[in-house]
C-alpha cells in the first residue's frame, strides 16, 4: 500500500511537470502574434480569427478526448498530446505563410486538447481523498507554464529571431519520454467507471443543471483571460513596446493567476466555495476600468493592476474544476474537458470576430465591455449546490 501511494504521488509530480511544459508551449503564441502578423503581413482582425481557431482546436474537442480517456487505462493522450504540442507550436513562428502557420497552430493545439482531460482525470484518480489540493497544485503549475511561455518565447524572438523558437521542442520531447517511463497506467489503482455510450455520456453532462452553471462560470473566466491575452499585445505593440515587454506583461498576468490557483484550496477552506467565485467574477471589471485609466500615464502601476486581474480571474479555477468532477464523478475526464476545454473553446468561437470589433471601437473599450459580463453572470452562482469536499 505504501508503495502504491508513493507511486501515485510520483505520478502526480510527473503529470504536473508535463502540464508545466505543455502550457509553456501554449503560452508562446499570444505575445508573438503581432510580430508574426507583421512578418506575414496580415491584420489584427485576421490574427484574432487564427487565435480563435486554435483555441477551438485546443479546447472544444477536450470533452471528446476525455470520453475516450475515461475508457482506457493507457497513457495515449498525455503522451502524444505532449509530443504534438512540443513539435508544432514552436514551429509556428517560423511558418512561411498563413496557411502553414494555421496548420502548425492547429496541430499543436490539438496536442494540448489531447493532453489536458486525461491528465486531469489521472490526477483525480491518483489523488484519492486529497483531490482539491492536488488539483490546485496541478492547475497552478500549468498556469505557471502558461506564464513563462510568453516570457521565454518573447526573449528568444527578441534576441535570436522567430525561427529559433523551434529549438525549444527538445524540452517537451524529452519530458514525453520521461512520462512514458514514470507515469503508470491505471491498472494498479481504483479503476474509473466505464461509460461506453458516447451520446449518453454527453447527454448526462449537458442535461445536469449544476454542470451548466459551472460551465457558465468557466466561460466567464475564459472571456476575461482570452480577451486580455489576445488584444492587449496589439495595444502594447501599437505603443512601441518590444516583444520582451509584451511577454513580460503576459507572464505577470498568468504568473499571478498561477498563484491564485495555488492558493485557491486554502482560501476556499477559509471563506467557502461560492464567495471565491463571486469575488473572481465581480472584481475584474473595476480592476480593468482602473487599468484603462492609467495604462498610458502610469505603465508600471497598470502592470500591477493587470497582474491582479490575472490573480482574481484564476483564483476560482481549481474550485470550479473539482466541483464539476464531484458533481459527476463517473465522468472525471469528460467533466474536466468541458470545464477546462469546451467552455474556453466556446468563448473563443464567440470571440472569433473580436479583432474586427476592437478595430472599430478600440481595444480598451472592447475589453471593458467584456469584463462587465461576468459581473452580471455571477447571479447564477447562487443556484450552485454545495459540493462534498
Amino acid at each position: 500500500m505504501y508503495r502504491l501511494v508513493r507511486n501515485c504521488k510520483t505520478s502526480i509530480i510527473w503529470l504536473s511537470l508535463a502540464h508545466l511544459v505543455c502550457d509553456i508551449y501554449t503560452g508562446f503564441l499570444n505575445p508573438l502574434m503581432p510580430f508574426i502578423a507583421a512578418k506575414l503581413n496580415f491584420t489584427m482582425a485576421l490574427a484574432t480569427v487564427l487565435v480563435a481557431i486554435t483555441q477551438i482546436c485546443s479546447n472544444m474537442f477536450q470533452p471528446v478526448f476525455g470520453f475516450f480517456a475515461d475508457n482506457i487505462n493507457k497513457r495515449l493522450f498525455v503522451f502524444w498530446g505532449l509530443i504534438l504540442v512540443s513539435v508544432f507550436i514552436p514551429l509556428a513562428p517560423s511558418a512561411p505563410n498563413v496557411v502553414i502557420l494555421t496548420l502548425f497552430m492547429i496541430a499543436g493545439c490539438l496536442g494540448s486538447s489531447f493532453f489536458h482531460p486525461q491528465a486531469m482525470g489521472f490526477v483525480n484518480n491518483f489523488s484519492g481523498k486529497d483531490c482539491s489540493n492536488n488539483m490546485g497544485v496541478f492547475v497552478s503549475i500549468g498556469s505557471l507554464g502558461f506564464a513563462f511561455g510568453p516570457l521565454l518565447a518573447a526573449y528568444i524572438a527578441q534576441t535570436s529571431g522567430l525561427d529559433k523558437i523551434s529549438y525549444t521542442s527538445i524540452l517537451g520531447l524529452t519530458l514525453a519520454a520521461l512520462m512514458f517511463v514514470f507515469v503508470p497506467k491505471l491498472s494498479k489503482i481504483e479503476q474509473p467507471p466505464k461509460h461506453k455510450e458516447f451520446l449518453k455520456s454527453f447527454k448526462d453532462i449537458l442535461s445536469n443543471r449544476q454542470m451548466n452553471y459551472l460551465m457558465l462560470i468557466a466561460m466567464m473566466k475564459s472571456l476575461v483571460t482570452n480577451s486580455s491575452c489576445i488584444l492587449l499585445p496589439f495595444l502594447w505593440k501599437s505603443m512601441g513596446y518590444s516583444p520582451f515587454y509584451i511577454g513580460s506583461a503576459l507572464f505577470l498576468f498568468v504568473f499571478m493567476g498561477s498563484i491564485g490557483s495555488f492558493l485557491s484550496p486554502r482560501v476556499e477552506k477559509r471563506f467557502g466555495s461560492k464567495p471565491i467565485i463571486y469575488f473572481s467574477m465581480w472584481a475584474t471589471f473595476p480592476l480593468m476600468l482602473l487599468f484603462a485609466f492609467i495604462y498610458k500615464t502610469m505603465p508600471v502601476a497598470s502592470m500591477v493592476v493587470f497582474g491582479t486581474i490575472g490573480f482574481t480571474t484564476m483564483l476560482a479555477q481549481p474550485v470550479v474544476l473539482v466541483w464539476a468532477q464531484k458533481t459527476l464523478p463517473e465522468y472525471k475526464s469528460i467533466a474536466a474537458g468541458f470545464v477546462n476545454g469546451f467552455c474556453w473553446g466556446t468563448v473563443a468561437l464567440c470571440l472569433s470576430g473580436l479583432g474586427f470589433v476592437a478595430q472599430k471601437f478600440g481595444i480598451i473599450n472592447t475589453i471593458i465591455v467584456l469584463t462587465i459580463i461576468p459581473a452580471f453572470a455571477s447571479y447564477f452562482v447562487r443556484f450552485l449546490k454545495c459540493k462534498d469536499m
Side-chain angles (χ1 to χ4, degrees):
M1 177 61 70
Y2 170 75
R3 184 177 181 182
L4 178 59
V5 171
R6 184 178 178 183
N7 287 340
C8 288
K9 290 182 177 179
T10 301
S11 299
I12 291 173
I13 291 172
W14 281 106
L15 287 165
S16 298
L17 287 174
H19 195 199
L20 173 76
V21 173
C22 181
D23 282 8
I24 283 176
Y25 290 121
T26 56
F28 274 10
L29 295 176
N30 282 328
L32 298 182
M33 191 55 67
F35 303 94
I36 296 173
K39 171 189 170 184
L40 299 181
N41 194 30
F42 58 85
T43 65
M44 178 178 70
L46 178 57
T48 57
V49 172
L50 292 178
V51 172
I53 290 173
T54 56
Q55 286 281 333
I56 291 166
C57 292
S58 178
N59 297 308
M60 291 288 279
F61 297 112
Q62 284 196 29
V64 177
F65 298 137
F67 169 82
F68 293 107
D70 272 346
N71 283 284
I72 61 174
N73 296 328
K74 298 181 180 179
R75 305 151 296 178
L76 175 70
F77 294 107
V78 292
F79 181 66
W80 284 105
L82 187 57
I83 290 176
L84 285 173
V85 75
S86 302
V87 171
F88 288 104
I89 293 294
L91 283 174
S94 58
N97 55 60
V98 175
V99 174
I100 300 299
L101 169 66
T102 305
L103 292 176
F104 282 164
M105 290 170 68
I106 288 174
C109 289
L110 280 175
S112 176
S113 190
F114 278 9
F115 175 84
H116 281 89
Q118 186 172 56
M120 286 182 285
F122 269 40
V123 169
N124 192 302
N125 280 287
F126 287 134
S127 293
K129 295 181 179 180
D130 199 25
C131 183
S132 291
N133 286 328
N134 286 332
M135 192 63 73
V137 171
F138 178 80
V139 171
S140 65
I141 289 179
S143 298
L144 193 64
F146 195 64
F148 275 102
L151 199 64
L152 176 62
Y155 176 78
I156 295 173
Q158 187 164 316
T159 57
S160 304
L162 291 171
D163 294 345
K164 298 299 187 294
I165 292 174
S166 60
Y167 295 166
T168 63
S169 292
I170 189 66
L171 174 63
L173 294 176
T174 301
L175 186 56
L178 292 171
M179 285 271 292
F180 187 78
V181 175
F182 291 107
V183 176
K185 302 174 185 179
L186 294 179
S187 56
K188 295 184 178 181
I189 66 171
E190 181 182 354
Q191 296 296 310
K194 302 300 181 182
H195 35 86
K196 299 294 186 181
E197 298 182 30
F198 181 85
L199 292 180
K200 181 182 182 300
S201 301
F202 277 61
K203 182 180 178 181
D204 288 345
I205 291 176
L206 294 175
S207 62
N208 186 290
R209 184 172 296 182
Q210 179 98 335
M211 276 296 299
N212 290 334
Y213 293 140
L214 291 168
M215 288 164 61
L216 175 64
I217 294 166
M219 288 179 188
M220 295 300 100
K221 291 159 51 58
S222 172
L223 185 67
V224 175
T225 302
N226 274 341
S227 59
S228 299
C229 292
I230 291 172
L231 291 181
L232 287 179
F234 284 92
L235 176 70
W236 288 318
K237 184 178 184 298
S238 70
M239 297 171 66
Y241 290 120
S242 67
F244 189 71
Y245 178 92
I246 297 173
S248 299
L250 295 182
F251 164 80
L252 180 63
F253 180 87
V254 187
F255 178 74
M256 292 301 295
S258 70
I259 294 177
S261 296
F262 180 76
L263 295 177
S264 178
R266 296 164 178 80
V267 178
E268 181 187 20
K269 287 181 180 178
R270 181 167 184 177
F271 297 102
S273 303
K274 288 187 178 181
I276 290 181
I277 298 175
Y278 274 122
F279 174 76
S280 182
M281 297 178 76
W282 264 103
T284 50
F285 171 61
L287 287 169
M288 188 60 76
L289 203 59
L290 178 60
F291 175 87
F293 277 114
I294 66 175
Y295 78 94
K296 288 183 180 179
T297 57
M298 303 172 65
V300 175
S302 72
M303 286 299 100
V304 174
V305 174
F306 186 55
T308 306
I309 294 172
F311 177 87
T312 57
T313 302
M314 298 294 289
L315 183 64
Q317 183 174 0
V319 177
V320 175
L321 180 56
V322 174
W323 203 329
Q325 290 182 319
K326 287 182 178 292
T327 299
L328 292 169
E330 69 273 28
Y331 300 121
K332 292 175 182 177
S333 295
I334 306 180
F338 269 100
V339 171
N340 193 65
F342 179 81
C343 293
W344 288 67
T346 301
V347 171
L349 181 62
C350 296
L351 295 181
S352 59
L354 184 63
F356 298 96
V357 176
Q359 283 185 175
K360 183 173 182 180
F361 298 102
I363 292 174
I364 287 294
N365 293 334
T366 302
I367 291 179
I368 289 175
V369 171
L370 290 176
T371 54
I372 296 174
I373 300 174
F376 285 105
S378 65
Y379 169 80
F380 294 98
V381 177
R382 64 185 295 185
F383 299 113
L384 289 173
K385 299 177 181 178
C386 292
K387 60 185 170 116
D388 179 16
M389 296 302 295

